[in-house]
Amino acid sequence: MTAPENPTVEEQSALHAQTRAIRGGRGGDDRSLAPVLWATSTFWTRTVEEARSMATQAGAERFYSRYGNPTVRGFEDLVADLEGAEAARAYGSGMGAVSGVVLGLCSAGDHIVAQRQLYAATQLLFQAVCPRFGIDVTFVDGTEPGAFAAAVRPGKTTMVFAETPANPRLDIIDLAELGAIKGPMTVVDSTFATPMLQRPLAHGVDLVVHSATKGIAGHNDATLGVVAGSRELIDWLWGFAVLQGAAASPFDAMNATRGIRTLPVRIRQQSETALVLATALEARPDVTEVRYPGLASHPQHDLAARQMSAGGGLVTFDVAGGLEGGRRFVESVRVAQHAPSLGGPETLVTHPASTTHVNLLPEELEANGIGPGTVRVSVGLEHPDDVVADFEQALTAASR
Ligand SMILES: *Cc1c(COP(=O)(O)O)cnc(C)c1O
């Protein structure tokens, strides 16, 4: 009698994502349940022919780790599977992935249509770096129906770039509308949703990008990015990635594969707690606005309900006391902690107007959806009652 093997591709694809997250990315025929760490930068080859073939083959995983690595490949295959993609490529950070996609696929003379409300570093890449390379970028309000398509210049626009839910006000972009755009390549940064809440490729989008540093790895112990899409596009991206050099660390990829084992249950719990917290915040007189895709008061609640399976773990709200109130709030939380990043087990709060976006003018802050009292929350895995009680005491302290 022979021991049962890992499920075949056919068997595996019939299972739910929650089940596939448990076994996916377990490469080869080894018997290890946990992801195996290949902490090597290089591999020896028997013949010159073998080395020649691997040096020129997209994603070769046993040649040199900037080209590919078995631990990293396990992570890439798992993300590709969860996104319903043919292939994926991991990077040393989310920005490694974003810049790899933009600079790897666009050339001087090209035109990009991008959403105005974006992760700050992505926005800077479009605003400050792209023009230096002769790439023209038009920013649009992605929540306005048809705005992306209307800004496309036929024959000139090569990429349309969106982020949903968007940082920091959790604007929702219509994925079906993006996927229907023909001509330019469509790219979605889906970091806030993770592959558990939405799958942009299923709507016809060409590439999905993640900062896996966030919810995918999910434990604040990895700095990692990933892009998923067709085999052809990922192979093309690989050609630039080996020159760009933002290669994923095998250790971080191992942590991320382990993190994905619990991604479905983490996202479910975080969405549940976030809804409880958002509802409690909405009832407070010292909170002027609450933004959460799972709340009926979110301006795009219906769209969110159509394309996302839950609201996710991010909540954004405005403290009535403005700049001083927001600052005092983030300094008064005790269960939550004041720190950047998101998607981990700890509830984290940030006050963009006095930290990450302190150099912006008031009108620039407004264009970015940031008010003086805006607080962004990444809901963690603590007991919901403890999180709500903590926010209530911190709000009371902030309004004193
Ligand atoms: C964090 C983040 C990034 C950048 O990822 P890093 O891993 O920090 O480089 C890009 N997009 C979004 C939406 C993010 O939250």
Side-chain angles (χ1 to χ4, degrees), residues 93-95 98 119 122 163 189 191-192 211 213-214 223-224 342:
S93 69
M95 282 317 295
V98 171
Y119 183 72
T122 307
E163 177 181 308
D189 183 334
T191 298
F192 280 21
S211 167
T213 308
K214 314 294 170 50
T223 303
L224 196 66
L342 55 107

Side-chain angles (χ1 to χ4, degrees), residues 20 24-25 72-90 195 199 201 208 210 216 226-231 234 260:
R20 304 202 312 276
V72 176
R73 171 56 65 82
F75 166 72
E76 291 168 338
D77 288 349
L78 178 49
V79 172
D81 174 50
L82 296 177
E83 284 291 1
E86 285 173 5
R89 165 80 191 179
R199 291 191 308 137
L201 303 184
V208 58
H210 289 281
I216 288 183
V226 65
V227 182
S230 70
R231 163 64 59 197
I234 297 300
I260 289 176

Side-chain angles (χ1 to χ4, degrees), residues 295-309:
L295 279 181
S297 62
H298 189 288
Q300 297 155 292
H301 175 66
D302 292 344
L303 174 60
R306 272 205 305 282
Q307 65 186 34
M308 296 170 73
S309 57

Side-chain angles (χ1 to χ4, degrees), residues 78-248:
L78 178 49
V79 172
D81 174 50
L82 296 177
E83 284 291 1
E86 285 173 5
R89 165 80 191 179
Y91 291 79
S93 69
M95 282 317 295
V98 171
S99 61
V101 164
V102 174
L103 300 177
L105 296 173
C106 298
S107 307
D110 284 354
H111 174 242
I112 297 176
V113 177
Q115 188 175 331
R116 188 165 295 125
Q117 206 174 102
L118 285 172
Y119 183 72
T122 307
Q123 196 193 349
L124 265 182
L125 179 77
F126 284 133
Q127 231 167 38
V129 179
C130 284
R132 281 181 45 220
F133 291 90
I135 303 166
D136 189 19
V137 184
T138 302
F139 291 98
V140 299
D141 176 355
T143 62
E144 212 175 279
F148 287 104
V152 168
R153 304 177 194 156
K156 189 96 178 126
T157 307
T158 49
M159 182 176 288
V160 174
F161 193 103
E163 177 181 308
T164 185
N167 189 56
R169 281 203 96 68
L170 311 175
D171 282 351
I172 307 293
I173 304 306
D174 191 326
L175 290 172
E177 203 185 286
L178 267 184
I181 294 175
K182 295 287 168 256
M185 194 165 323
T186 47
V187 184
V188 167
D189 183 334
S190 192
T191 298
F192 280 21
T194 83
M196 289 305 124
L197 296 179
Q198 70 190 16
R199 291 191 308 137
L201 303 184
H203 297 271
V205 167
D206 296 305
L207 287 171
V208 58
V209 183
H210 289 281
S211 167
T213 308
K214 314 294 170 50
I216 288 183
H219 293 75
N220 297 319
D221 59 1
T223 303
L224 196 66
V226 65
V227 182
S230 70
R231 163 64 59 197
E232 193 188 352
L233 274 177
I234 297 300
D235 283 357
W236 179 266
L237 280 173
W238 176 83
F240 181 71
V242 293
L243 307 183
Q244 182 195 8

Side-chain angles (χ1 to χ4, degrees), residues 291-356:
R291 275 289 186 96
Y292 182 64
L295 279 181
S297 62
H298 189 288
Q300 297 155 292
H301 175 66
D302 292 344
L303 174 60
R306 272 205 305 282
Q307 65 186 34
M308 296 170 73
S309 57
L314 274 294
V315 179
T316 299
F317 70 98
D318 293 277
V319 178
L323 204 62
E324 206 38 52
R327 185 191 301 244
R328 273 211 297 270
F329 173 81
V330 298
E331 286 178 353
S332 301
V333 288
R334 296 202 183 96
V335 173
Q337 285 167 293
H338 180 215
S341 204
L342 55 107
E346 303 87 359
T347 295
L348 302 180
V349 294
T350 60
H351 183 226
S354 62
T355 57
T356 48

